Amino acid sequence: MAQPQTLEDVKKLIKEHEIEFIFASFTEVQGKSSAKLVPASQVDELFSEGVGFAGFAAGHIGQGPQSPDVEIIPDPTTFRIVPWQKGLAHVIGDVTVEGQPWEYCPRTILKNQMAKAKEQGYVFKLGFEAEFMLVDFDEDGKLQVADKFDNWGRPCYDVKALSRQYELMTTLSKYVTELGWENYAVDHEDGNGQFEINVTFADALETADRAIFFRYMVDSLAEQYGMIATFMPKPFTDNTGNGFHYTMSLWDSETDENLFLDENDPRGLDLSELGYQFSAGILEHARGYMAMVAPTVNSYKRLKAGTELIRTWVPVAITYGGNNRTQMLRIARPGAIEDRTPDFAGSPYLGFTAALAAGMDGVNRKLEPGEPNDMDLYIAPQNEIARRGIQMLPHSLMESIHYLSKDDVLREAFGAVPVDGPYGEPSDDTEDFVDYYARIKRAEYHEVTDEVTAHEIDRYLRFP
């Protein structure tokens, strides 16, 4: 299906596909999608006037119960026919308040950062690899892998497990292709019950929009097959976690040339000097950047070194290298940088913004990442890591928030947001978005970690 560009394109698709209803949606700061179901007969009003939401009820979007409604103005390029539900379409919009762009809107924040890059002649493009698990609950309410036969110790690429989910996976593959994203592979990943569907890359805004729809699609179809699809970073202690890898590159805004590609790269990774500078920027800001791409308490239970008993396939150190999955940044294909740290527990718009801002700081300052690392960082001893000056990634959400709050480059990238007066009345005051985000995440950290768990009772009740 050709991607629509205008309201007239949308109306043509509505007629061709006999669309009766449209989900008009947006995402708040933590990545939750909210939507209203709008009759297709109201499409003119939807695109001209938008649709209203009580922002405070929808989630974290910088509003209180006294705030005016947020209005969602749809972007026609995000209009997609819902393949599994006849007569339904889906569209994503930008958040406005009283007719003005709302500074808390994650999609608007990404658009602003992309506009800055374009002023320098760059288009930021990404592809994503979103891992998910198919789970359900047993009769005692305990979470389990939905396929009881998917219990091998090394299930990665297991043809039998993939065959048992053949109908669901091939349906998802067909729908991804129908949407114009060109699915090129489906595989069973390293975790029991874990799968991945690869899609082609696009510019960062389109890719973030795709990611939001992809998550909605996988969730919906899994439910139709009697399962739960979870993108939770670490749903099982003894199983591999779910990642959301970014594969990134900068392209010339005029010629559409991949500026990260250099087949004469003396380091042998087919990466240009610009690509190395961008990598250096990501590494320079890695600690604060992690607060946006690994944004939950659970995220840091995934980011652990692998062992034979508990495989992780995630980085633990701030490094880059070639086709080595223990590195944070992996240069596995010509002209592209894969970041293996992100997960899909938050907003792709904010994660992509952080990646672009950090990378562009490396470009603008002409930072140098040093020579690529080729060690297995899971088995390298700590004294050798220290000798080489390798820094480690944050071990917790609270630690990454600490570094985010101190990062002036990321602070500037996310901009300032309006704040109300002390009793909720309008004011002219502002604060940095980073400070708002940090408050949300600190509260989340304490909400989770202040809870006394069954494991703690077992371990500490009669100790020492």
Side-chain angles (χ1 to χ4, degrees), residues 117-125 201 248-265 269-279 331 333-337 356 359-360 363-364:
K118 193 168 185 179
E119 288 175 1
Q120 295 182 242
Y122 303 121
V123 175
F124 185 41
K125 295 190 180 184
F201 67 92
M248 305 173 284
S249 51
L250 288 178
W251 294 61
D252 190 295
S253 61
E254 297 293 332
T255 65
D256 200 34
E257 175 190 359
N258 183 358
L259 299 176
F260 279 7
L261 178 62
D262 181 0
E263 295 176 347
N264 298 312
D265 173 14
L269 299 181
D270 291 335
L271 193 67
S272 69
E273 182 180 5
L274 189 76
Y276 284 110
Q277 292 170 352
F278 193 95
S279 299
I331 319 300
R333 64 187 70 174
I337 301 164
L356 178 55
M360 286 303 300
V363 169
N364 292 332

Side-chain angles (χ1 to χ4, degrees), residues 52-109:
F53 295 79
F56 179 69
H60 290 287
I61 196 74
Q63 289 211 315
Q66 83 287 354
S67 301
D69 280 1
V70 299
E71 300 283 340
I72 307 308
I73 307 299
D75 181 341
T77 66
T78 70
F79 186 86
R80 310 187 200 280
I81 307 300
V82 175
W84 64 93
Q85 182 67 57
K86 182 175 173 56
L88 179 64
H90 183 278
V91 70
I92 297 171
D94 298 320
V95 179
T96 66
V97 173
E98 297 181 331
Q100 298 300 314
W102 188 232
E103 291 90 340
Y104 290 89
C105 173
R107 192 170 189 270
T108 298
I109 289 171

Side-chain angles (χ1 to χ4, degrees), residues 128-132 134 155-177 181-190 193-200 214 217-218:
F128 66 81
E129 297 176 12
E131 296 167 341
F132 60 92
L134 297 174
C156 198
Y157 311 122
D158 179 22
V159 66
K160 294 180 180 179
L162 189 57
S163 295
R164 288 192 295 272
Q165 301 297 344
Y166 179 83
E167 188 173 350
L168 172 57
M169 293 303 151
T170 54
T171 299
L172 281 167
S173 175
K174 291 172 185 176
Y175 289 166
V176 166
T177 300
W181 305 349
E182 297 182 30
N183 167 236
Y184 59 88
V186 178
D187 67 87
H188 188 295
E189 285 290 298
D190 189 67
Q194 186 181 51
F195 298 87
E196 179 180 282
I197 297 176
N198 295 319
V199 301
T200 51
F214 179 81
M217 179 168 64
V218 173

Side-chain angles (χ1 to χ4, degrees), residues 269-346:
L269 299 181
D270 291 335
L271 193 67
S272 69
E273 182 180 5
L274 189 76
Y276 284 110
Q277 292 170 352
F278 193 95
S279 299
I282 296 282
L283 299 174
E284 174 86 0
H285 297 280
R287 291 189 179 92
Y289 161 79
M290 290 293 293
M292 292 294 180
V293 302
T296 70
V297 173
N298 185 254
S299 298
Y300 296 84
K301 296 182 179 182
R302 168 181 167 261
L303 294 167
K304 304 290 184 184
T307 68
E308 283 299 307
L309 296 176
I310 303 175
R311 301 175 305 280
T312 62
W313 298 105
V314 294
V316 292
I318 303 171
T319 58
Y320 88 101
N323 197 354
N324 178 337
R325 287 177 169 84
T326 71
Q327 311 297 320
M328 177 183 178
L329 302 183
R330 182 172 75 126
I331 319 300
R333 64 187 70 174
I337 301 164
E338 179 189 46
D339 183 357
R340 301 180 56 77
T341 55
D343 62 54
F344 206 178

Side-chain angles (χ1 to χ4, degrees), residues 343-359:
D343 62 54
F344 206 178
S347 167
Y349 302 104
L350 298 183
F352 293 176
T353 299
L356 178 55

Side-chain angles (χ1 to χ4, degrees), residues 212-244:
I212 294 300
F213 189 88
F214 179 81
R215 184 163 57 187
Y216 160 55
M217 179 168 64
V218 173
D219 285 345
S220 298
L221 288 177
E223 287 182 8
Q224 290 184 10
Y225 285 83
M227 296 176 286
I228 299 167
T230 180
F231 295 87
M232 182 178 177
K234 189 71 171 172
F236 300 100
T237 301
D238 57 352
N239 204 351
T240 308
N242 293 312
F244 182 54

